[in-house]
Amino acid sequence: MPKFVYDFIEGNRELTDLLGGKGANLAEMTRLGLPVPPGFTVTTVACRAYLAAGAPPAGMFDEVNRHLRGIEARLGKRLGDRHDPLLLAVRSGARYSMPGMMETVLDIGLTDTTVHGLAAQSGDDRFAWDSYRRLVQMFGRTVFGVPDELFTAELETVKRTAGVTADSALDADDLRALVEAYQKVFHQHTGRDFPQSPHEQLDLAIRAVFESWNAERAVLYRRQERIPAELGTAVNVMAMVFGNRGPDSGTGVAFTRDPATGARGVYGDYLANAQGEDVVSGVRNTVPLQELERIDPRSFHRLMTIMDTLEHHYRDLCDVEFTIERGTLWMLQTRVGKRTAEAAFVIAAQLVDEGVIDLDEALDRVTGAQLGQLMFPRFDPASAPTPLAVGVPAAPGAAVGRVVFDSEAAVAAAGRGERVILVRRETNPDDLPGMIAAAGILTSRGGKTSHAAVVARGMGRTCVCGAEALTVDTAAGQLTVADGTGAAPTVLHAGDLISIDGATGAVYAGAVPVHPSPVLRYIEGELAPEADPLVSAVHRLLGHADVVRRLAVRANADTAADAHRARAFGAAGIGLCRTEHMFLGDRRELVERLILAETDADREAALAALRPLQRQDFEALLAETDGQPVTIRLLDPPLHEFLPALDELTARVARAEALGEDPGHDGQLLAAVRRMHEANPMLGLRGVRLGLMVPGLFATQVRAIAEATVARLRAGGDPRPQIMVPLVGAVQELEAVRDQAEALLADFDGLPPIPVGTMIEVPRAALTASAIAEVADFFSFGTNDLTQLGWGFSRDDVEGVFFGRYLELGIFPVSPFESIDTAGIGRLVQIAVADARATRPDLEIGVCGEHGGDPDSVRFFHDAGFDYVSCSPYRVPLARLEAGRAAVRLAHRSDTR
Ligand code: ADP
Ligand code: MG
Ligand code: MG
């Protein structure tokens, strides 16, 4: 039979799976000799068994009782003793912290009898009845679901009768009356008396904590935080210590460093003469922890020493919960504390300076996602007013704009050059145009997997969702915010200014000033690394990542301006230059001529006119990237994408015909668009297929590349272009294009070797990689197309329609367009890499899909043996950091082997 109960002296911090975070850390503090009240933990295994069977596993309660007797022996008190009763705290504690999601019951063991014993033993009637009323309320709420309002109403009545405003001003008689009133509430709501057996109280409380794992809010929280549903919670049972025993008692929370900025110092809150739940529920005002030094210097210094011990032991920022009972300090909880992205960088660098961790470990403690957050502009916390509401931070950034309530209004306003925030109860696929037009998206419903959140993240729009304090009335064109105090609600109308913070979820009325990110300014070379502690931490950790990483990081850049930025951001070249923009703008007319060409001569004339323009583009790009590889992708999209849309042309031609005019050129275009229409353009005439179907198209591009290279060489530059063929599925396609390109390149004297390679983005290419590697100088995985084609869904159609549901159902934990699906698409990648390298061990392999800048995916590409990742310029720093983390992580792993 498994062991279901561990005494605090038996466990340790490694056992979080079994004992939950709280239990494992209580055990660790006990082992360190810190003052922790005695107690034990009922394991998550017991919880899972309980939830599966609806009853405690055999022997569990026997074990609980045996451990309980151990506590009784140690303290010389017994549960239920009428003279000197032991009181217990029963506390939930899962593997991952789920703040406020589950249940805790304090003061277990008080009954109509033992309350007198507690009063006599402590010599404090008031304290005994205060504890008892707390028990009836917490137990009623947690174990039997009695609504809290019923108790608070009684509390208000008793306070009114007594003529006091603060709970602490109630005397023993008032509190005794309150206990009686609470017991009536309990009886009315549950149909039974408040349990007078302390053992029954304990039994019911343990079961209630187990069951709280499946409470609705806990389920929702887990879904949002991607915490597996099957883990279960542990239950910690420990002796009570009392912060409500007078002015020399109290309770508080403390951090070893500022969790917002990472600064060293004393951070926390203290509340005299109170139990812990008073702090959390904000019933009374706390004082800053520094005050404790004046109130109780001995306990304060003891606490400082303990926090030092903890921080050295855990080698990281810790937070603690503590209680002081009549001048004696007790530790009730600790854990490695949550922190902001800024604090994560600052603390990691500080710990290196303090000799606590090395740079490798510091790098492991920060993430690319955090660095990404720090690169967004942000609201200045000093000038931000009190938020109107706080929702779920779903996509980062600080967005300010005018309120619009529907998609059309957003599109219209954006068309006038206004910045708008699209405010909806929730969004659906019809809102897509408005979401694209808006600077930010705000909803009152839904979490991190809602439509709004998924789509906003995909598009890089700032998004706050599920701000439930907001009432969105689209019809009336207004937004109402009740702050819960009963004060008049704030009302915003369409056109009013609003600000949303995608990093914190805060929503503000009006335009809050936005500050550029100091980290971005540093990366852009505008701030020196010494500028502030955050910038200096980023500088050091990013610098270390560059030293240790094996993956090179290139950027996706189509223009000289992008290439310039990419280089400044630390890119080692261009991994993807899309050539389609060279066919847009003032070149449309030439492209239309190319498409409409009826003779070879017409087509050749159009191509000949396009070539010098492209040569200039390539030359400008190569000028920004001297000495670095530049991977140029030959034209990829279907040609009809360069023509006006079908409905627009139809309307223009119909108008001309109605006026009795000759539609002329429009008529020709319309005919071409109709002829070229494809039901599935994504699967149609594009990529290499286009190159093989339109004579001279790829040849023109290859010539332009060669001419630009020659020009750069003459100017003393060091151009290193690579030619990349898109959408290859069969080696024969690549061979045909390659032969033609080589023949053309041979015409140019003094040209450096220009590698010709291919994208791997069609599943068939991945599966025949070994043959393709024979004729390719490099592979670049196009993971967007590989994902679309591998899953068989088109991104534009599916993301807004059913991804939210799929995420909710856990079909995938994160959109496969955001993070590479390692089990499926990743498998294709691994097969292709292994087969290709078997043919050509030195084949250069990279990725140029959006996954190249996704933190989790970067780790995957590192492990898969890639040479480089390529991503948008703004993601280059983040990819550098993640590539470094991937490298040190592997090193750690081999250490422990
Ligand atoms: P949460 O996980 O929601 O923080 P806890 O289990 O930490 O819930 O309990 C909430 C509060 O109850 C703690 O912050 C602490 O102040 C108080 N508490 C917990 N255990 C004890 C105890 N043994 N004696 C006195 N107070 C306790
Ligand atoms: Mg706690
Ligand atoms: Mg593609």
Side-chain angles (χ1 to χ4, degrees):
M1 198 166 65
K3 179 172 159 63
F4 290 122
V5 180
Y6 284 70
D7 195 279
F8 289 168
I9 47 183
E10 294 176 295
N12 66 63
R13 69 160 148 165
E14 305 298 328
L15 300 180
T16 47
D17 282 340
L18 187 65
L19 305 179
K22 200 179 285 167
N25 289 322
L26 280 165
E28 190 75 11
M29 286 200 289
T30 305
R31 272 162 35 97
L32 287 173
L34 302 182
V36 177
F40 55 84
T41 305
V42 188
T43 66
T44 54
V45 174
C47 175
R48 290 196 291 268
Y50 178 89
L51 292 176
M60 184 192 93
F61 273 112
D62 295 339
E63 268 188 78
V64 166
N65 287 327
R66 202 164 60 243
H67 283 267
L68 179 60
R69 282 195 294 276
I71 301 183
E72 290 175 337
R74 244 174 294 161
L75 295 178
K77 290 169 185 268
R78 273 191 323 105
L79 186 66
D81 189 289
R82 54 174 54 235
H83 301 297
D84 189 5
L86 170 68
L87 300 197
L88 297 172
V90 173
R91 314 166 65 190
S92 62
R95 166 81 173 78
Y96 300 103
S97 128
M98 299 170 54
M101 284 303 130
M102 293 185 304
E103 307 295 359
T104 291
V105 187
L106 304 180
D107 302 310
I108 295 251
L110 281 173
T111 63
D112 295 350
T113 313
T114 59
V115 68
H116 295 291
L118 183 68
Q121 203 278 331
S122 64
D124 188 345
D125 271 8
R126 186 191 180 281
F127 155 67
W129 288 101
D130 182 48
S131 301
Y132 196 14
R133 61 106 182 177
R134 290 169 188 272
L135 170 66
V136 180
Q137 176 172 5
M138 280 186 135
F139 189 90
R141 178 183 66 216
T142 303
V143 182
F144 284 92
V146 184
D148 236 6
E149 302 83 73
L150 299 182
F151 293 116
T152 2
E154 295 299 333
L155 178 61
E156 290 312 315
T157 310
V158 169
K159 283 205 278 194
R160 214 175 315 120
T161 316
V164 303
T165 50
D167 299 8
S168 52
L170 294 172
D171 66 19
D173 289 333
D174 300 330
L175 291 164
R176 186 203 312 258
L178 192 57
V179 167
E180 216 168 283
Y182 277 9
Q183 289 194 348
K184 277 211 192 83
V185 165
F186 185 92
H187 186 93
Q188 270 161 13
H189 198 270
T190 64
R192 53 173 290 176
D193 285 337
F194 182 77
Q196 291 298 315
S197 151
H199 282 91
E200 187 189 359
Q201 290 173 3
L202 175 61
D203 181 309
L204 291 173
I206 291 175
R207 291 167 192 258
V209 171
F210 281 162
E211 280 161 20
S212 71
W213 177 256
N214 284 332
E216 194 179 346
R217 61 188 170 154
V219 171
L220 279 175
Y221 182 87
R222 282 200 294 274
R223 203 175 277 163
Q224 208 145 83
E225 299 297 315
R226 308 214 171 102
I227 297 173
E230 63 279 358
L231 298 180
T233 180
V235 185
N236 302 289
V237 178
M238 64 196 295
M240 280 296 294
V241 288
F242 301 99
N244 55 337
R245 289 212 49 189
D248 56 354
S249 303
T251 185
V253 297
F255 301 88
T256 56
R257 303 182 193 226
D258 186 341
T261 65
R264 267 164 291 199
V266 180
Y267 295 89
D269 300 301
Y270 182 70
L271 186 57
N273 197 9
Q275 276 194 352
E277 80 268 21
D278 297 338
V279 181
V280 187
S281 61
V283 184
R284 287 160 50 197
N285 286 336
T286 57
V287 298
L289 187 59
Q290 286 92 324
E291 299 275 308
L292 182 61
E293 184 166 19
R294 195 178 43 74
I295 303 170
D296 181 353
R298 220 172 54 95
S299 296
F300 177 79
H301 290 294
R302 182 96 207 270
L303 179 64
M304 292 301 121
T305 312
I306 289 176
M307 295 214 295
D308 234 38
T309 306
L310 286 174
E311 194 172 87
H312 272 93
H313 186 67
Y314 285 88
R315 299 159 64 247
D316 205 349
L317 160 82
C318 294
D319 63 35
V320 303
E321 295 178 1
F322 65 92
T323 282
I324 297 172
E325 178 176 343
R326 311 199 86 179
T328 303
L329 174 69
W330 294 97
M331 302 306 293
L332 298 179
Q333 185 173 325
T334 190
R335 67 189 158 197
V336 168
K338 295 200 168 152
R339 67 205 72 185
T340 60
E342 172 173 353
F345 274 86
V346 170
I347 291 171
Q350 280 170 0
L351 291 173
V352 173
D353 288 338
E354 293 164 22
V356 179
I357 59 177
D358 63 14
L359 272 168
D360 278 4
E361 191 167 357
L363 185 55
D364 198 44
R365 298 250 182 117
V366 294
T367 67
Q370 287 170 332
L371 181 58
Q373 261 183 36
L374 292 172
M375 287 169 61
F376 280 99
R378 53 186 180 178
F379 295 125
D380 178 1
S383 60
T386 317
L388 273 183
V390 178
V392 179
V400 179
R402 298 194 178 277
V403 172
V404 290
F405 289 102
D406 59 60
S407 184
E408 292 90 84
V411 172
R416 295 189 297 271
E418 285 174 25
R419 289 175 67 79
V420 295
I421 307 292
L422 177 63
V423 182
R424 303 285 291 166
R425 190 163 170 272
E426 53 209 344
T427 60
N428 64 48
D430 293 338
D431 294 319
L432 211 57
M435 297 173 79
I436 294 169
I441 297 146
L442 170 63
T443 70
S444 59
R445 287 299 177 86
K448 279 189 176 152
T449 59
S450 62
H451 177 266
V454 173
V455 175
R457 271 199 302 279
M459 302 191 305
R461 287 297 175 283
T462 299
C463 176
V464 171
C465 57
E468 305 216 340
L470 308 182
T471 307
V472 180
D473 187 341
T474 312
Q478 65 176 36
L479 170 68
T480 318
V481 195
D483 64 1
T485 63
T490 309
V491 180
L492 294 183
H493 297 96
D496 289 348
L497 282 165
I498 194 169
S499 306
I500 61 173
D501 188 337
T504 62
V507 179
Y508 303 99
V512 178
V514 175
H515 287 245
S517 142
V519 170
L520 182 61
R521 291 182 59 212
Y522 152 71
I523 289 172
E524 286 176 332
E526 283 172 32
L527 273 188
E530 309 77 43
D532 73 23
L534 171 60
V535 168
S536 132
V538 169
H539 172 74
R540 289 174 65 191
L541 298 183
L542 203 49
H544 186 61
D546 288 339
V547 171
V548 295
R549 66 190 162 92
R550 200 208 65 227
L551 276 179
V553 178
R554 299 187 191 170
N556 300 347
D558 303 345
T559 62
D562 285 352
H564 185 80
R565 170 170 305 124
R567 190 160 202 162
F569 282 16
I574 307 297
L576 173 65
C577 164
R578 301 178 185 84
T579 51
E580 35 272 36
H581 79 277
M582 302 176 185
F583 290 74
L584 294 171
D586 53 2
R587 300 166 193 188
R588 263 182 198 284
E589 197 198 325
L590 289 174
V591 176
E592 286 175 9
R593 263 171 60 192
L594 168 68
I595 295 172
L596 297 179
E598 289 184 352
T599 65
D600 288 354
D602 287 350
R603 191 182 54 248
E604 276 157 25
L607 285 169
L610 276 165
R611 199 171 84 218
L613 301 173
Q614 294 193 37
R615 201 203 67 207
Q616 284 165 18
D617 292 338
F618 290 133
E619 217 180 308
L621 192 70
L622 291 170
E624 293 290 348
T625 49
D626 264 332
Q628 295 187 329
V630 177
T631 310
I632 298 168
R633 182 175 72 185
L634 301 180
L635 193 68
D636 185 39
L639 280 186
H640 50 78
E641 277 193 11
F642 299 97
L643 298 182
L646 179 64
D647 42 3
E648 186 191 327
L649 278 173
T650 312
R652 280 194 336 223
V653 170
R655 200 176 314 125
E657 282 170 350
L659 296 174
E661 293 167 5
D662 177 4
H665 184 58
D666 282 345
Q668 283 173 293
L669 284 179
L670 180 59
V673 167
R674 288 216 172 107
R675 179 162 30 87
M676 294 162 78
H677 174 79
E678 294 174 314
N680 263 320
M682 200 186 69
L683 304 177
L685 181 58
R686 51 177 285 229
V688 66
R689 306 162 190 172
L690 202 58
L692 297 174
M693 286 295 292
V694 182
L697 177 64
F698 279 8
T700 301
Q701 293 196 290
V702 170
R703 267 218 188 89
I705 293 168
E707 288 168 358
T709 308
V710 169
R712 281 301 301 155
L713 284 171
R714 288 214 187 99
D718 181 8
R720 310 226 175 144
Q722 306 186 323
I723 293 174
M724 179 158 79
V725 185
L727 214 73
V728 164
V731 64
Q732 293 83 353
E733 291 172 315
L734 181 61
E735 259 167 352
V737 174
R738 189 188 172 116
D739 287 350
Q740 190 193 20
E742 276 174 351
L744 281 169
L745 294 172
D747 286 347
F748 290 82
D749 280 339
L751 212 53
I754 297 185
V756 178
T758 181
M759 292 192 69
I760 301 290
E761 54 187 340
V762 175
R764 190 181 187 282
L767 297 173
T768 56
S770 121
I772 295 177
E774 305 250 13
V775 282
D777 294 324
F778 62 86
F779 275 7
S780 176
F781 284 86
T783 49
N784 290 345
D785 267 310
L786 198 57
T787 300
Q788 304 202 73
L789 297 171
W791 276 89
F793 45 47
S794 95
R795 176 173 194 170
D796 295 339
D797 295 319
V798 296
E799 211 162 31
V801 177
F802 65 78
F803 268 31
R805 183 76 184 127
Y806 266 41
L807 289 161
E808 240 169 61
L809 291 172
I811 292 173
F812 26 69
V814 47
S815 159
F817 289 113
E818 216 173 302
S819 233
I820 189 154
D821 151 39
T822 52
I825 304 307
R827 182 88 189 96
L828 278 173
V829 171
Q830 286 164 335
I831 291 171
V833 171
D835 290 358
R837 287 254 166 85
T839 306
R840 272 186 71 168
D842 62 339
L843 185 76
E844 181 185 76
I845 295 181
V847 53
C848 63
E850 266 163 67
H851 293 120
D854 168 69
D856 290 332
S857 310
V858 169
R859 219 165 306 138
F860 171 83
F861 297 127
H862 172 96
D863 292 343
F866 278 48
D867 296 300
Y868 70 88
V869 296
S870 185
C871 54
S872 75
Y874 277 96
R875 289 200 149 211
V876 166
L878 179 164
R880 284 161 55 199
L881 190 85
E882 282 297 336
R885 293 184 70 220
V888 299
R889 190 171 293 215
L890 269 190
H892 278 311
R893 223 181 281 154
S894 53
D895 281 348
T896 56
R897 218 175 266 146

